[in-house]
Amino acid sequence: FAWRTPASGLVVRGGYGIFYSQDEGTGVNRRMTNNPPFVGFGGYTINSDQLNVSSTIPLSGTLPPRTPAPPPESFKLDPLATATLISWQQDFRTGYVQQWTLSLQKEIIRDSVFEVNYVGNHAIGLGASYPANNPAPGPGAIPARRPLATFTRAPVFRAAPWAASAYHGISSKFEKRFSRGFSYLASFTFGRAIDTASEFAVCDACGASADDSVQDPSNLNGSQKGLSNHHAAKRFVFSG
């Protein structure tokens, strides 16, 4: 909304909206199909050699034979295997963010405007990962102490919509609108961004997984709440 108040040159603006989070690319490494017995079967290693064309696979021919995957019904997971397993929550819902704004705008002098804005948002159900089979600190070998050691002693990469975030900020702006061949804009922002996970590292090129930074998988919201990676408390910008 926008309301021109009875006061000379004073305008009040505000708004509210709900927005759904973007579905991120999951690549290949973090998909459920990267679990046994499917992982490692049906792939090719092709060396592209422009100088030795005979080393490549002609598209006009047939593909070389591949090692078939074992029948899923005959597969049994070895509890002592330690290769990382991938797990995604079955009812993985799309997260959303609520955002609201309120601003006051006042014309100070001719062609010059001063503005103060408050912006806030709160997001819940954001996708994030955590190690689902990490044991509590203590003596003894880690694999044997894992919570799911009866079924598997492997690390488990778990993806679920457990993360949340919040932002509150105040910004002020003074703008000299273009006139007589001159204009400038000065703005200052003070805010705070807090979350329980700043990224959802599931793409192939994301580097180290974000689940490695989880301090306590049994208390995700309590142990992970802190300033966001992209937090910037103060920012001043001048342009003209």
Side-chain angles (χ1 to χ4, degrees):
F1 70 89
W3 176 45
R4 186 184 298 274
T5 68
S8 177
L10 179 62
V11 178
V12 179
R13 292 183 172 87
Y16 172 83
I18 298 178
F19 309 90
Y20 286 93
S21 62
Q22 181 178 356
D23 195 15
E24 301 195 32
T26 57
V28 175
N29 294 335
R30 301 299 185 183
R31 291 177 183 259
M32 292 288 290
T33 50
N34 210 40
N35 281 322
F38 309 105
V39 62
F41 292 95
Y44 290 103
T45 299
I46 301 176
N47 297 319
S48 178
D49 191 342
Q50 297 180 353
L51 300 180
N52 185 11
V53 181
S54 61
S55 66
T56 62
I57 299 177
L59 297 179
S60 58
T62 59
L63 295 175
R66 298 178 293 179
T67 303
E73 62 273 9
S74 64
F75 173 77
K76 293 184 179 180
L77 179 66
D78 183 1
L80 300 180
T82 56
T84 300
L85 301 177
I86 311 298
S87 171
W88 283 67
Q89 184 167 313
Q90 288 184 327
D91 57 342
F92 200 111
R93 299 183 178 181
T94 302
Y96 66 91
V97 56
Q98 302 177 71
Q99 181 168 310
W100 52 89
T101 63
L102 180 65
S103 67
L104 300 176
Q105 188 179 67
K106 180 72 170 67
E107 184 180 33
I108 305 300
I109 57 177
R110 182 180 178 84
D111 298 326
S112 297
V113 176
F114 179 72
E115 184 175 333
V116 177
N117 304 279
Y118 161 68
V119 177
N121 63 55
H122 177 56
I124 59 175
L126 302 179
S129 60
Y130 66 95
N133 202 22
N134 275 18
I142 290 178
R145 295 189 295 108
R146 295 190 183 277
L148 304 176
T150 303
F151 307 99
T152 177
R153 297 190 178 188
V156 176
F157 172 92
R158 176 70 168 174
W162 61 268
S165 68
Y167 174 81
H168 298 279
I170 296 290
S171 65
S172 59
K173 178 176 70 173
F174 186 81
E175 180 181 7
K176 166 65 173 66
R177 293 173 176 171
F178 187 81
S179 63
R180 300 179 182 178
F182 176 67
S183 69
Y184 66 85
L185 173 64
S187 63
F188 175 77
T189 302
F190 175 76
R192 172 168 291 189
I194 298 175
D195 62 32
T196 53
S198 293
E199 62 176 334
F200 189 17
V202 292
C203 65
D204 293 337
C206 290
S209 173
D211 68 316
D212 295 334
S213 63
V214 172
Q215 302 177 79
D216 185 1
S218 64
N219 183 22
L220 292 171
N221 290 321
S223 65
Q224 292 302 109
K225 186 176 181 179
L227 293 177
S228 305
N229 292 351
H230 53 270
H231 167 71
K234 302 174 183 178
R235 184 175 185 181
F236 175 77
V237 177
F238 180 86
S239 59

